[in-house]
Amino acid sequence: MELNTIQPAVGSNKKKTRIGRGPGSGKGGTSTRGHKGAKSRSGYSQKVGFEGGQMPLQRRLPKFGFKNFNRVEYKGINIGTIEELAAARNLNKVGLEELRAAGFVSSKQLVKILASGTITRAIAVEANAFSQAAQKAIEAAGGSIAKV
């Protein structure tokens, strides 16, 4: 077997249908577009969601809800998670860098500390926001908080 003898498998390559090349091709004349109407003309393009004049689905459905574009989205981290991270890595301070290194948050996410779980060690916690219960729990354990 040599490179100059290689051929594709029988039936794997089909010739492209050549449209508009005269009546002998079987696809001449209207070039498979049919007679008259917008789709037969050059330059035709259909709007997204067009349903042939019927009222489109996006107009038939009722509109509801509200999306506040000023909303600030936080990734919630529990104080129990912070306790485990500090114990596993022997940390006295847990900040955004430590949480990112541990894989809890990405570089663009804002972090809010939540009060689920318990904290027994005095840990300095640094985050973008704190719930009131989490703030009280950290300070009751002898730790401190810092908003970034």
Side-chain angles (χ1 to χ4, degrees), residues 39-80:
K39 286 185 187 177
S40 71
R41 319 258 185 231
S42 67
Y44 168 76
S45 64
Q46 190 179 59
K47 286 184 180 176
V48 174
F50 182 69
E51 297 183 19
Q54 174 176 291
M55 185 63 68
L57 182 66
Q58 76 270 18
R59 290 189 60 198
R60 274 180 282 166
L61 297 176
K63 289 157 187 65
F64 64 93
F66 169 75
K67 203 164 205 105
N68 184 359
F69 57 87
N70 290 321
R71 176 180 165 83
V72 179
E73 195 76 38
Y74 290 100
K75 169 76 181 204
I77 303 288
N78 292 313
I79 57 174

Short mmCIF file of all heavy atoms in Angstrom, two decimals, residues 39-80:
data_model
loop_
_atom_site.label_atom_id
_atom_site.label_comp_id
_atom_site.label_asym_id
_atom_site.label_seq_id
_atom_site.Cartn_x
_atom_site.Cartn_y
_atom_site.Cartn_z
N LYS A 39 -39.37 33.38 -0.79
CA LYS A 39 -38.25 32.43 -0.71
C LYS A 39 -37.62 32.15 -2.07
O LYS A 39 -36.50 31.65 -2.13
CB LYS A 39 -38.72 31.11 -0.10
CG LYS A 39 -38.96 31.19 1.40
CD LYS A 39 -39.31 29.82 1.94
CE LYS A 39 -39.74 29.88 3.38
NZ LYS A 39 -40.15 28.56 3.86
N SER A 40 -38.33 32.45 -3.15
CA SER A 40 -37.77 32.19 -4.47
C SER A 40 -36.88 33.34 -4.94
O SER A 40 -36.13 33.19 -5.89
CB SER A 40 -38.89 31.99 -5.48
OG SER A 40 -39.54 33.22 -5.74
N ARG A 41 -36.97 34.48 -4.28
CA ARG A 41 -36.25 35.67 -4.73
C ARG A 41 -34.86 35.74 -4.12
O ARG A 41 -34.61 35.21 -3.04
CB ARG A 41 -37.02 36.93 -4.33
CG ARG A 41 -38.51 36.85 -4.49
CD ARG A 41 -38.99 37.56 -5.74
NE ARG A 41 -40.45 37.56 -5.80
CZ ARG A 41 -41.14 37.16 -6.86
NH1 ARG A 41 -40.50 36.74 -7.93
NH2 ARG A 41 -42.44 37.19 -6.85
N SER A 42 -33.97 36.47 -4.81
CA SER A 42 -32.63 36.67 -4.24
C SER A 42 -32.72 37.69 -3.12
O SER A 42 -33.61 38.55 -3.13
CB SER A 42 -31.67 37.16 -5.32
OG SER A 42 -32.04 38.46 -5.73
N GLY A 43 -31.83 37.60 -2.16
CA GLY A 43 -31.80 38.56 -1.07
C GLY A 43 -32.78 38.26 0.04
O GLY A 43 -32.93 39.04 0.97
N TYR A 44 -33.49 37.13 -0.05
CA TYR A 44 -34.48 36.80 0.98
C TYR A 44 -33.79 36.40 2.28
O TYR A 44 -32.84 35.63 2.27
CB TYR A 44 -35.37 35.65 0.49
CG TYR A 44 -36.21 35.05 1.59
CD1 TYR A 44 -37.34 35.70 2.05
CD2 TYR A 44 -35.87 33.84 2.18
CE1 TYR A 44 -38.12 35.17 3.06
CE2 TYR A 44 -36.64 33.29 3.19
CZ TYR A 44 -37.75 33.96 3.63
OH TYR A 44 -38.52 33.43 4.63
N SER A 45 -34.26 36.96 3.39
CA SER A 45 -33.82 36.48 4.70
C SER A 45 -34.98 36.61 5.65
O SER A 45 -35.67 37.64 5.66
CB SER A 45 -32.61 37.27 5.20
OG SER A 45 -32.96 38.61 5.41
N GLN A 46 -35.19 35.59 6.45
CA GLN A 46 -36.34 35.55 7.36
C GLN A 46 -35.94 36.05 8.73
O GLN A 46 -34.86 35.73 9.21
CB GLN A 46 -36.82 34.11 7.45
CG GLN A 46 -38.13 33.93 8.15
CD GLN A 46 -38.54 32.46 8.16
OE1 GLN A 46 -37.82 31.64 8.67
NE2 GLN A 46 -39.68 32.17 7.57
N LYS A 47 -36.79 36.85 9.37
CA LYS A 47 -36.51 37.33 10.71
C LYS A 47 -36.52 36.17 11.69
O LYS A 47 -37.28 35.21 11.51
CB LYS A 47 -37.56 38.36 11.14
CG LYS A 47 -37.41 39.70 10.48
CD LYS A 47 -38.42 40.69 11.03
CE LYS A 47 -38.27 42.04 10.38
NZ LYS A 47 -39.30 42.98 10.81
N VAL A 48 -35.71 36.27 12.73
CA VAL A 48 -35.69 35.24 13.75
C VAL A 48 -37.05 35.19 14.43
O VAL A 48 -37.59 36.22 14.83
CB VAL A 48 -34.58 35.54 14.79
CG1 VAL A 48 -34.64 34.56 15.94
CG2 VAL A 48 -33.22 35.52 14.14
N GLY A 49 -37.63 34.01 14.53
CA GLY A 49 -38.92 33.86 15.19
C GLY A 49 -40.12 34.11 14.28
O GLY A 49 -41.25 34.06 14.74
N PHE A 50 -39.88 34.37 12.99
CA PHE A 50 -40.99 34.60 12.07
C PHE A 50 -41.76 33.32 11.85
O PHE A 50 -41.17 32.26 11.62
CB PHE A 50 -40.47 35.13 10.73
CG PHE A 50 -41.55 35.46 9.73
CD1 PHE A 50 -42.39 36.54 9.94
CD2 PHE A 50 -41.72 34.68 8.61
CE1 PHE A 50 -43.40 36.84 9.03
CE2 PHE A 50 -42.72 34.98 7.70
CZ PHE A 50 -43.56 36.06 7.90
N GLU A 51 -43.09 33.39 11.96
CA GLU A 51 -43.92 32.19 11.85
C GLU A 51 -44.92 32.31 10.71
O GLU A 51 -46.08 31.89 10.84
CB GLU A 51 -44.65 31.94 13.18
CG GLU A 51 -43.72 31.67 14.34
CD GLU A 51 -44.46 31.36 15.63
OE1 GLU A 51 -45.66 31.00 15.57
OE2 GLU A 51 -43.84 31.47 16.68
N GLY A 52 -44.51 32.91 9.61
CA GLY A 52 -45.37 32.97 8.43
C GLY A 52 -46.54 33.90 8.58
O GLY A 52 -47.59 33.68 7.98
N GLY A 53 -46.44 34.94 9.40
CA GLY A 53 -47.53 35.88 9.59
C GLY A 53 -48.36 35.57 10.83
O GLY A 53 -49.09 36.43 11.32
N GLN A 54 -48.29 34.34 11.32
CA GLN A 54 -48.97 34.01 12.58
C GLN A 54 -48.31 34.81 13.71
O GLN A 54 -47.14 35.14 13.63
CB GLN A 54 -48.80 32.51 12.85
CG GLN A 54 -49.33 32.03 14.18
CD GLN A 54 -49.20 30.52 14.29
OE1 GLN A 54 -49.89 29.80 13.59
NE2 GLN A 54 -48.32 30.07 15.15
N MET A 55 -49.07 35.11 14.76
CA MET A 55 -48.52 35.86 15.90
C MET A 55 -47.38 35.04 16.52
O MET A 55 -47.60 33.92 16.94
CB MET A 55 -49.61 36.13 16.94
CG MET A 55 -49.17 37.00 18.09
SD MET A 55 -48.69 38.67 17.62
CE MET A 55 -50.23 39.37 17.10
N PRO A 56 -46.17 35.56 16.56
CA PRO A 56 -45.03 34.78 17.02
C PRO A 56 -45.14 34.40 18.50
O PRO A 56 -45.80 35.08 19.28
CB PRO A 56 -43.83 35.72 16.82
CG PRO A 56 -44.30 36.79 15.93
CD PRO A 56 -45.77 36.89 16.10
N LEU A 57 -44.48 33.32 18.86
CA LEU A 57 -44.55 32.78 20.21
C LEU A 57 -44.12 33.81 21.24
O LEU A 57 -44.76 33.97 22.28
CB LEU A 57 -43.67 31.53 20.32
CG LEU A 57 -43.68 30.84 21.68
CD1 LEU A 57 -45.05 30.26 21.96
CD2 LEU A 57 -42.63 29.75 21.73
N GLN A 58 -43.05 34.56 20.96
CA GLN A 58 -42.56 35.53 21.95
C GLN A 58 -43.54 36.68 22.17
O GLN A 58 -43.47 37.38 23.17
CB GLN A 58 -41.17 36.07 21.58
CG GLN A 58 -41.14 37.09 20.46
CD GLN A 58 -40.97 36.45 19.10
OE1 GLN A 58 -41.20 35.28 18.92
NE2 GLN A 58 -40.57 37.24 18.12
N ARG A 59 -44.50 36.87 21.26
CA ARG A 59 -45.54 37.89 21.45
C ARG A 59 -46.81 37.31 22.03
O ARG A 59 -47.64 38.02 22.58
CB ARG A 59 -45.83 38.60 20.13
CG ARG A 59 -44.66 39.49 19.71
CD ARG A 59 -44.99 40.36 18.52
NE ARG A 59 -46.11 41.25 18.81
CZ ARG A 59 -46.83 41.87 17.87
NH1 ARG A 59 -46.56 41.68 16.59
NH2 ARG A 59 -47.82 42.66 18.19
N ARG A 60 -47.00 35.99 21.88
CA ARG A 60 -48.20 35.35 22.42
C ARG A 60 -48.10 35.12 23.93
O ARG A 60 -49.09 35.13 24.62
CB ARG A 60 -48.41 33.98 21.75
CG ARG A 60 -49.17 34.07 20.46
CD ARG A 60 -49.34 32.71 19.85
NE ARG A 60 -48.10 32.31 19.19
CZ ARG A 60 -47.82 31.09 18.78
NH1 ARG A 60 -48.68 30.11 18.99
NH2 ARG A 60 -46.70 30.83 18.18
N LEU A 61 -46.87 34.88 24.42
CA LEU A 61 -46.69 34.58 25.84
C LEU A 61 -46.74 35.86 26.66
O LEU A 61 -46.23 36.90 26.25
CB LEU A 61 -45.35 33.88 26.05
CG LEU A 61 -45.20 32.53 25.38
CD1 LEU A 61 -43.80 31.99 25.59
CD2 LEU A 61 -46.22 31.55 25.90
N PRO A 62 -47.33 35.80 27.87
CA PRO A 62 -47.37 36.99 28.71
C PRO A 62 -46.00 37.35 29.26
O PRO A 62 -45.16 36.48 29.47
CB PRO A 62 -48.33 36.59 29.84
CG PRO A 62 -48.25 35.11 29.89
CD PRO A 62 -47.99 34.66 28.49
N LYS A 63 -45.79 38.62 29.46
CA LYS A 63 -44.52 39.08 30.02
C LYS A 63 -44.69 39.23 31.52
O LYS A 63 -45.72 39.69 31.99
CB LYS A 63 -44.12 40.42 29.39
CG LYS A 63 -43.70 40.26 27.94
CD LYS A 63 -43.83 41.56 27.18
CE LYS A 63 -43.58 41.35 25.72
NZ LYS A 63 -44.58 40.49 25.08
N PHE A 64 -43.67 38.82 32.28
CA PHE A 64 -43.74 38.93 33.72
C PHE A 64 -42.33 39.00 34.30
O PHE A 64 -41.36 38.68 33.62
CB PHE A 64 -44.50 37.74 34.34
CG PHE A 64 -43.82 36.43 34.13
CD1 PHE A 64 -42.95 35.92 35.08
CD2 PHE A 64 -44.04 35.69 32.99
CE1 PHE A 64 -42.31 34.72 34.90
CE2 PHE A 64 -43.40 34.48 32.78
CZ PHE A 64 -42.55 33.99 33.76
N GLY A 65 -42.24 39.42 35.55
CA GLY A 65 -40.96 39.41 36.24
C GLY A 65 -40.19 40.70 36.05
O GLY A 65 -40.58 41.61 35.30
N PHE A 66 -39.10 40.75 36.76
CA PHE A 66 -38.25 41.94 36.74
C PHE A 66 -36.83 41.50 37.06
O PHE A 66 -36.61 40.68 37.95
CB PHE A 66 -38.74 42.93 37.81
CG PHE A 66 -37.80 44.07 38.06
CD1 PHE A 66 -37.67 45.10 37.16
CD2 PHE A 66 -37.03 44.10 39.21
CE1 PHE A 66 -36.81 46.15 37.39
CE2 PHE A 66 -36.16 45.15 39.46
CZ PHE A 66 -36.06 46.18 38.54
N LYS A 67 -35.87 41.97 36.33
CA LYS A 67 -34.47 41.64 36.57
C LYS A 67 -33.74 42.92 36.91
O LYS A 67 -33.59 43.81 36.06
CB LYS A 67 -33.87 40.98 35.33
CG LYS A 67 -32.67 40.13 35.65
CD LYS A 67 -32.37 39.21 34.49
CE LYS A 67 -31.64 38.01 34.97
NZ LYS A 67 -32.35 36.79 35.06
N ASN A 68 -33.30 43.03 38.15
CA ASN A 68 -32.62 44.23 38.60
C ASN A 68 -31.18 44.23 38.08
O ASN A 68 -30.37 43.36 38.45
CB ASN A 68 -32.62 44.27 40.14
CG ASN A 68 -32.01 45.53 40.70
OD1 ASN A 68 -31.56 46.39 39.93
ND2 ASN A 68 -31.99 45.66 41.99
N PHE A 69 -30.84 45.16 37.23
CA PHE A 69 -29.50 45.17 36.65
C PHE A 69 -28.47 45.76 37.61
O PHE A 69 -27.27 45.72 37.33
CB PHE A 69 -29.47 45.90 35.30
CG PHE A 69 -29.97 47.32 35.34
CD1 PHE A 69 -29.10 48.36 35.64
CD2 PHE A 69 -31.28 47.63 35.05
CE1 PHE A 69 -29.54 49.67 35.67
CE2 PHE A 69 -31.74 48.93 35.08
CZ PHE A 69 -30.87 49.95 35.39
N ASN A 70 -28.91 46.28 38.78
CA ASN A 70 -27.97 46.76 39.79
C ASN A 70 -27.66 45.71 40.85
O ASN A 70 -26.94 45.98 41.79
CB ASN A 70 -28.54 48.01 40.48
CG ASN A 70 -28.56 49.20 39.54
OD1 ASN A 70 -27.63 49.39 38.76
ND2 ASN A 70 -29.62 49.98 39.60
N ARG A 71 -28.24 44.51 40.70
CA ARG A 71 -28.05 43.45 41.70
C ARG A 71 -26.58 43.06 41.79
O ARG A 71 -25.90 42.92 40.78
CB ARG A 71 -28.89 42.24 41.31
CG ARG A 71 -28.70 41.05 42.24
CD ARG A 71 -29.58 39.89 41.76
NE ARG A 71 -29.19 38.65 42.38
CZ ARG A 71 -29.58 38.27 43.59
NH1 ARG A 71 -30.36 39.05 44.30
NH2 ARG A 71 -29.19 37.12 44.09
N VAL A 72 -26.12 42.88 43.04
CA VAL A 72 -24.75 42.43 43.28
C VAL A 72 -24.82 40.96 43.70
O VAL A 72 -25.49 40.62 44.67
CB VAL A 72 -24.07 43.27 44.38
CG1 VAL A 72 -22.66 42.77 44.65
CG2 VAL A 72 -24.05 44.73 43.98
N GLU A 73 -24.16 40.11 42.96
CA GLU A 73 -24.21 38.66 43.20
C GLU A 73 -22.99 38.23 44.02
O GLU A 73 -21.85 38.51 43.64
CB GLU A 73 -24.20 37.94 41.84
CG GLU A 73 -24.60 36.49 41.90
CD GLU A 73 -26.09 36.28 42.08
OE1 GLU A 73 -26.88 37.03 41.50
OE2 GLU A 73 -26.44 35.35 42.82
N TYR A 74 -23.25 37.56 45.14
CA TYR A 74 -22.18 37.07 46.01
C TYR A 74 -22.13 35.55 46.00
O TYR A 74 -23.16 34.90 45.85
CB TYR A 74 -22.41 37.52 47.47
CG TYR A 74 -22.23 38.99 47.70
CD1 TYR A 74 -23.33 39.85 47.78
CD2 TYR A 74 -20.97 39.55 47.87
CE1 TYR A 74 -23.18 41.20 48.01
CE2 TYR A 74 -20.81 40.90 48.09
CZ TYR A 74 -21.91 41.72 48.16
OH TYR A 74 -21.74 43.06 48.38
N LYS A 75 -20.95 35.01 46.18
CA LYS A 75 -20.78 33.57 46.39
C LYS A 75 -20.77 33.37 47.90
O LYS A 75 -19.95 33.94 48.61
CB LYS A 75 -19.47 33.10 45.76
CG LYS A 75 -19.04 31.70 46.11
CD LYS A 75 -19.84 30.68 45.36
CE LYS A 75 -19.36 29.31 45.80
NZ LYS A 75 -19.57 28.27 44.90
N GLY A 76 -21.69 32.57 48.42
CA GLY A 76 -21.80 32.36 49.86
C GLY A 76 -20.82 31.31 50.36
O GLY A 76 -20.74 30.22 49.79
N ILE A 77 -20.06 31.65 51.39
CA ILE A 77 -19.15 30.70 52.05
C ILE A 77 -19.54 30.65 53.52
O ILE A 77 -19.65 31.68 54.18
CB ILE A 77 -17.68 31.15 51.92
CG1 ILE A 77 -17.28 31.33 50.45
CG2 ILE A 77 -16.74 30.17 52.62
CD1 ILE A 77 -17.12 30.08 49.66
N ASN A 78 -19.75 29.44 54.05
CA ASN A 78 -20.17 29.29 55.43
C ASN A 78 -18.98 29.31 56.38
O ASN A 78 -17.86 28.95 56.01
CB ASN A 78 -20.93 27.97 55.61
CG ASN A 78 -22.26 27.99 54.88
OD1 ASN A 78 -23.00 28.95 54.99
ND2 ASN A 78 -22.55 26.95 54.14
N ILE A 79 -19.25 29.72 57.64
CA ILE A 79 -18.15 29.79 58.62
C ILE A 79 -17.63 28.40 58.95
O ILE A 79 -16.46 28.24 59.30
CB ILE A 79 -18.58 30.55 59.91
CG1 ILE A 79 -19.81 29.93 60.56
CG2 ILE A 79 -18.78 32.01 59.62
CD1 ILE A 79 -20.18 30.55 61.89
N GLY A 80 -18.47 27.38 58.79
CA GLY A 80 -18.01 26.00 58.97
C GLY A 80 -16.94 25.63 57.96
O GLY A 80 -15.94 24.96 58.28
#
